[in-house]
Amino acid sequence: MTYNSESHLVVIPTYNEKENIKILLNELLKLDISVLVVDDNSPDGTKEVVEDFVNLNSEIHLLDRTAKLGLGSAYRDGFSWGIKNQFLYIVEMDADFSHSPKDLKEILDSSYDNDVVIGSRYIPGGGSFGWDVKRRLLSKTANLISRLILRTKTNDMTSGFRCYSVNSLEKIHYQNTNSDGYSFQIEMTMKCEVNNLKIKEVPIIFNERRIGASKMSKKIIYEALVFLFKNGIKRWLNLKIN
């Protein structure tokens, strides 16, 4: 069974990604998939670039939001749009080429046999390129601590390159998540494990963004720590996870 533009939707949140999104969309148009760009009113003209693609390609779509509302919010809106438009599988992917279109094919190929497919840096064959020691240590530590505190099995809890079946999104009640950044990916992974979904990790090479500045901030890290503390207590006390 193969993927196609009617079954699979790639959701890409953007904020000031004018240069990256143009190149990425051209790469994704080589695959038989649909793409939804969720733009948070980028002042650099990202929306206008995407609109040009929308006018020429039926596989490219734009969800134009009025303000910078955050990564988790963008994905929740993207999931809702995809479900409303009757897609069966929805992929999360960054706009900055940290997620390679070359790795996307294996994620898509694995989607039919699994509820969730996660592009993982922390299984054999996976890794990262272009990070300094501090960033590598932060990512590895975040994943290790997340797994220990939340008692989960997934190796790459914070990966933002993944595919969900629509059935899995509805089962975990994705719309009830309320976090962003690292903690959004951790929360989604935890919900999938708690609901006993079939999760497969496939190896990817994460690349430091080509153009522009990283969106990582102290606020995102703090939010993740608070999320881990609150939900770690629930897990260890065997309390219900919503």
Side-chain angles (χ1 to χ4, degrees):
M1 192 177 295
T2 59
Y3 52 86
N4 59 66
S5 59
E6 294 182 354
S7 63
H8 286 70
L9 174 72
V10 177
V11 176
I12 305 175
T14 55
Y15 185 77
N16 287 348
E17 297 286 358
K18 179 181 178 179
E19 299 301 325
N20 285 315
I21 197 63
K22 182 177 182 179
I23 303 170
L24 180 59
L25 290 179
N26 278 320
E27 288 294 315
L28 295 180
L29 281 170
K30 299 174 184 178
L31 302 173
D32 188 15
I33 53 174
S34 291
V35 179
L36 173 68
V37 177
V38 182
D39 187 65
D40 277 3
N41 196 29
S42 298
D44 73 340
T46 298
K47 180 184 74 171
E48 288 73 19
V49 171
V50 178
E51 285 176 333
D52 289 341
F53 277 88
V54 171
N55 291 333
L56 296 173
N57 304 278
S58 60
E59 299 90 351
I60 307 298
H61 309 274
L62 173 66
L63 182 57
D64 181 21
R65 306 204 304 173
T66 58
K68 190 177 182 182
L69 301 174
L71 182 71
S73 171
Y75 277 128
R76 284 186 288 272
D77 284 352
F79 295 157
S80 297
W81 189 97
I83 292 171
K84 180 180 179 181
N85 285 275
Q86 300 183 322
F87 287 92
L88 301 178
Y89 300 89
I90 302 178
V91 177
E92 296 181 7
M93 187 174 186
D94 288 348
D96 59 10
F97 279 92
S98 56
H99 301 149
S100 171
K102 294 180 180 179
D103 289 329
L104 177 58
K105 188 177 186 304
E106 185 171 358
I107 292 176
L108 295 171
D109 287 340
S110 300
S111 62
Y112 283 108
D113 298 322
N114 300 278
D115 297 311
V116 186
V117 183
I118 297 177
S120 178
R121 296 158 290 183
Y122 303 121
I123 61 173
S128 58
F129 179 79
W131 277 359
D132 58 21
V133 174
K134 181 180 178 181
R135 184 72 187 274
R136 289 177 187 270
L137 182 61
L138 173 63
S139 179
K140 289 184 177 181
T141 302
N143 275 281
L144 178 59
I145 291 175
S146 298
R147 291 176 63 196
L148 291 174
I149 292 178
L150 299 176
R151 300 164 65 186
T152 56
K153 299 178 180 178
T154 303
N155 292 286
D156 199 339
M157 295 281 291
T158 61
S159 173
F161 197 12
R162 52 178 70 188
C163 178
Y164 297 98
S165 70
V166 164
N167 287 338
S168 70
L169 288 173
E170 292 176 336
K171 185 172 183 179
I172 67 173
H173 302 293
Y174 73 91
Q175 66 274 16
N176 293 337
T177 61
N178 54 22
S179 49
D180 277 308
Y182 270 138
S183 54
F184 173 73
Q185 307 299 357
I186 295 170
E187 182 177 7
M188 290 289 288
T189 308
M190 181 186 67
K191 281 178 170 287
C192 290
E193 289 206 14
V194 168
N195 283 277
N196 298 312
L197 299 185
K198 185 178 180 181
I199 302 172
K200 179 180 181 180
E201 292 185 82
V202 299
I204 64 165
I205 300 299
F206 183 95
N207 296 280
E208 185 54 83
R209 63 180 297 125
R210 292 185 180 181
I211 302 171
S214 171
K215 304 297 194 298
M216 180 62 64
S217 67
K218 292 182 180 179
K219 179 181 178 181
I220 289 174
I221 296 173
Y222 175 76
E223 180 190 44
L225 292 173
V226 171
F227 175 85
L228 287 174
F229 177 76
K230 290 182 178 179
N231 288 277
I233 292 175
K234 290 182 180 181
R235 288 289 275 165
W236 283 94
L237 294 178
N238 293 315
L239 299 177
K240 182 179 179 181
I241 301 293
N242 296 325

